[in-house]
Each structure stands twice: as structure tokens, then as C-alpha cells.
Amino acid sequence: MRASILVLAGDGIGPEVTAEGTRVLRAVGMVFGHDFILRDALLGGCAIDQYGTALPPETLAAARGSDAILLGAVGGPKWDDPSAEVRPEQGLLGIRRELGLYANLRPVTIHPRLVGASPLRPEVLAGVDLLVVRELIGGIYFGEKKREPERASDLCVYTGDEIRRVVRRAAELARKRRKKLTSVDKANVLESSRLWRRITEHVVRQEYPDLQLEHVLVDACAMYLARRPSSFDVIVTENMFGDILTDEASVLAGSMGLLPSASLGDGPRGLYEPIHGSAPDIAGRGIANPYATILSVAMLLRHSLGLEKEALAVETAVATAIDRGVLTADVAAPGQGVSTAQAGQMVVDILKERGKA
Ligand code: IPM
Ligand code: MG
């Protein structure tokens, strides 16, 4: 197949990890006979430097003209002035919103070799296989904001339609998995959560009676994720709760550098990015973990291009590289880490070995 993919490397370690992601895409194209046309554009801090805005119209137009978008990370100390009018994060939030990508899929699985990389006990980690579906373009991130010298506010608004579409997406995914759906809210305090719970209850009971549905308060959910993470299958939740819970969930896998994500709307076009940030502390040193980005490439192949076999090949190649002990510093034994490029090259080599077999 032919597909056009826009690469938004962004800031910090973004360019280092997306370089490995695109290498893997090219290898998949070669091994499986696809023609992937890769283009680059600026988003985040690098776009502010060049255009004075975090989401230049050129970038948005290029995104709309692509089948899928691979993103590294945005942000860094250079653009961190809290009083600044333009911030790198506006680029990320803007592109999610402009493209209508309301469902953010963040799967969490644990590679047996990396159980020791998590601070949690092995028996707590046994059997963990969960998927967080985070609502991505509503709630407190996008409500009206006000700033006065001694008073500030961020409004959290959800509409029934915004809740229904993301809950349906999560329910569809749960149906293909273990058929358990956990909806996370703060319905004991927030009106927006009471609406979330009422709508979720209605949608799932009416349209997905085959699913087991539970409602869990976000504070309790944070605790259960550490105490009994294997009890979760699909978790669906609003924007900010999903942001916080997925950073917590990354501890299960052993490193933020291992978790991919897919942001999807109603059509096939999606945005794929590791859940980690731009990590300015290690940027430019060639030691960042590229596996989260490479696993995001697998999600891109699956969800935007419909290439399930190729997606599985990439996921298997990453698992094999980890099996072979090809690990960057975040998960390797002290002093043993390989470089970002070595990890990426190993995945490419494994894909090519498979291609010859
Ligand atoms: C994420 C990040 C972003 C978010 C930031 C960088 C705006 O934390 O993708 O989880 O909060 O959505
Ligand atoms: Mg986050």
C-alpha cells in the first residue's frame, strides 16, 4: 500500500526517538512491500522558534493531508516561562483538537524481562494487560481559562456527546479483549463526573450489555493501579484523570520509555506518540529509549493503515530485542545501557531477519 506519514519530531529527545521510529517504518515498508512517504514538519518549541507559534498553519495543513502522524515530544526549559503567551504544549493540544482526536489509547503490558525494572513486586505485576482510553479534547484542558493576579480558574465542561463517543470507542475495544470496562470519575464531587457516570451507565447497559461495567472514583483507581493492576482490562476516563493515571501506570511497565499511544477520531487518521515527554535532561545524548515510539509506529500501522500483520511484526521485534537484553539506560542494569540508535537498529535487524525467513 501507499501511505503518507507526517513526522513531527518536536523538541528534546523527540528527534532522537522519531529517527528510530522512521527507520522502523522504512524497514517495514521494505520487508512487506509498502510505499511509505514520510514528510517532516515543526510542532512545539521548534515551531515557536521558527514561526512564533507552536502549531503553524503549514503543519496543520500537512497533518490534514496525511494518513497518519508520528510525533516525538514537545516542550523544554527554553519555552517554560509561565507568563509566556505561546507555549509548546499549545501545539500538541491544538493538533489533537483540530484533528478531532478524542480517544487516546494507552496500552500497558509488561515484558517478563523487565519485571525487575518496576518498583512493584513481581506478584503484583503478574498478568497485567490493561488499556487506558483517555478522553483527549474536552474537559478542564479546553474549558474557559481566566487569569487575574490573585485569582485563576479552569473550567471543566463535558457534553453528553463528548462522553458517548469516547465511551463507545472504549466499549468496542473492551469487546475485543476481556470484556471488562472500568469507568473512572469523581462523581462524589464533580457535576461533570456525575454526567459522565450517568451517560456511561446508559450507553454500556443499552448498547454493550455483554460487558462487565464498573465505576471507580479516580483516587481509589490510583490506589488500585498500584495494588491490583491485573484486575483492570479497559479503563475509560476524562482528559486530566487519564493524563495522571497513565503516568502512574507507566511505572508498572518499568519505564515511561516503553509506553506508546494512539490518538484517534472518527476516521482512520490518527496521531501516534510515546506517552513520555521531551526529557530535556537527557536530550542530545543518544540514550533515550526509542521503544515507546517504535511501539507507537506499530499502533499507527494497525489503527490508521489497517496493517495488523505488520503491527504485530513490529511489536514482536521490540519484544525480541528486549529478550536479547538490548536495553537503554532507563531499564538496563547500571552502566549497561545501549544507545537509542543501537536499540532501534536491533528492531530493524530483527524485522529484516524475519523478512528473509
Ligand atoms: C501527555 C502530556 C501532555 C498532556 C502535555 C505535554 C500537555 O502530559 O500527552 O500525557 O497533558 O496531555
Ligand atoms: Mg501526560
Side-chain angles (χ1 to χ4, degrees):
M1 86 178 298
R2 257 175 100 87
S4 90
I5 297 158
L6 183 69
V7 180
L8 303 172
D11 311 312
I13 59 170
E16 297 165 51
V17 292
T18 51
E20 302 314 313
T22 55
R23 226 142 53 100
V24 168
L25 266 174
R26 288 203 188 88
V28 169
M30 232 182 77
V31 171
F32 292 89
H34 300 301
D35 190 6
F36 297 140
I37 303 145
L38 304 176
R39 293 197 181 80
D40 290 294
L42 298 178
L43 182 85
C46 55
I48 294 177
D49 289 349
Q50 182 129 349
Y51 297 100
T53 169
L55 176 56
E58 293 85 334
T59 298
L60 189 56
R64 289 194 203 281
S66 306
D67 297 305
I69 302 140
L70 180 67
L71 171 70
V74 299
K78 184 173 173 194
W79 310 278
D80 243 357
D81 174 4
S83 62
E85 294 281 310
V86 287
R87 292 187 56 94
E89 291 78 8
Q90 291 162 345
L92 186 55
L93 301 186
I95 196 167
R96 290 170 175 172
R97 174 101 171 180
E98 288 294 328
L99 298 180
L101 307 174
Y102 57 83
N104 180 222
L105 281 46
R106 298 185 164 188
V108 181
T109 53
I110 297 169
H111 190 286
R113 198 186 160 109
L114 298 178
V115 167
S118 170
L120 293 168
R121 287 199 307 273
E123 60 270 30
V124 173
L125 297 174
V128 169
D129 177 9
L130 63 88
L131 170 67
V132 179
V133 179
R134 169 189 175 194
E135 198 292 323
L136 202 59
I137 54 175
I140 199 167
Y141 274 56
F142 292 94
E144 189 193 359
K145 296 178 187 298
K146 286 191 183 152
R147 179 163 62 180
E148 294 163 28
E150 290 292 323
R151 196 183 136 85
S153 62
D154 301 88
L155 195 61
C156 182
V157 182
Y158 270 107
T159 66
D161 285 342
E162 285 173 332
I163 299 166
R164 272 185 285 272
R165 63 186 181 180
V166 71
V167 167
R168 285 193 179 114
R169 179 61 68 92
E172 294 293 338
L173 291 161
R175 234 178 208 170
K176 293 190 214 126
R177 297 172 44 106
R178 301 192 307 279
K179 292 191 173 7
K180 182 176 174 189
L181 183 62
T182 304
S183 173
V184 176
D185 61 39
K186 188 72 185 172
N188 53 346
V189 178
L190 303 176
E191 279 303 335
S192 53
S193 279
R194 287 194 263 271
L195 180 69
W196 181 283
R197 189 174 288 213
R198 180 163 64 75
I199 301 251
T200 301
E201 182 69 26
H202 190 256
V203 166
V204 178
R205 300 278 177 237
Q206 295 288 315
E207 300 171 29
Y208 303 90
D210 50 317
L211 298 185
Q212 183 197 340
L213 172 68
E214 64 175 5
H215 302 278
V216 177
L217 296 173
V218 64
D219 47 352
C221 184
M223 175 179 62
Y224 298 150
L225 271 174
R227 285 196 92 99
R228 50 167 179 82
S230 63
S231 69
F232 295 108
D233 180 12
V234 177
I235 295 175
V236 64
T237 190
E238 62 111 80
N239 202 345
M240 187 158 75
F241 297 160
D243 178 46
I244 298 169
L245 292 177
T246 49
D247 266 30
E248 184 190 2
S250 76
V251 175
L252 305 168
S255 169
M256 292 267 274
L258 294 165
L259 293 200
S261 86
S263 302
L264 306 173
D266 282 328
R269 188 193 302 119
L271 172 73
Y272 300 85
E273 52 174 316
I275 81 151
H276 63 68
S278 60
D281 52 325
I282 58 162
R285 291 171 52 197
I287 60 166
N289 191 337
Y291 291 155
T293 304
I294 295 172
L295 293 169
S296 301
V297 165
M299 295 187 88
L300 181 159
L301 294 166
R302 171 175 297 125
H303 293 285
S304 281
L305 308 186
L307 299 174
E308 179 61 30
K309 177 164 49 88
E310 290 79 346
L312 275 175
V314 171
E315 285 162 349
T316 308
V318 170
T320 307
I322 295 173
D323 276 333
R324 293 185 188 171
V326 180
L327 304 173
T328 45
D330 52 326
V331 280
Q336 305 270 294
V338 304
S339 71
T340 308
Q342 283 171 319
Q345 186 61 49
M346 180 52 68
V347 175
V348 166
D349 290 346
I350 294 166
L351 282 167
K352 289 187 178 161
E353 278 164 29
R354 193 206 125 121
K356 285 197 208 91

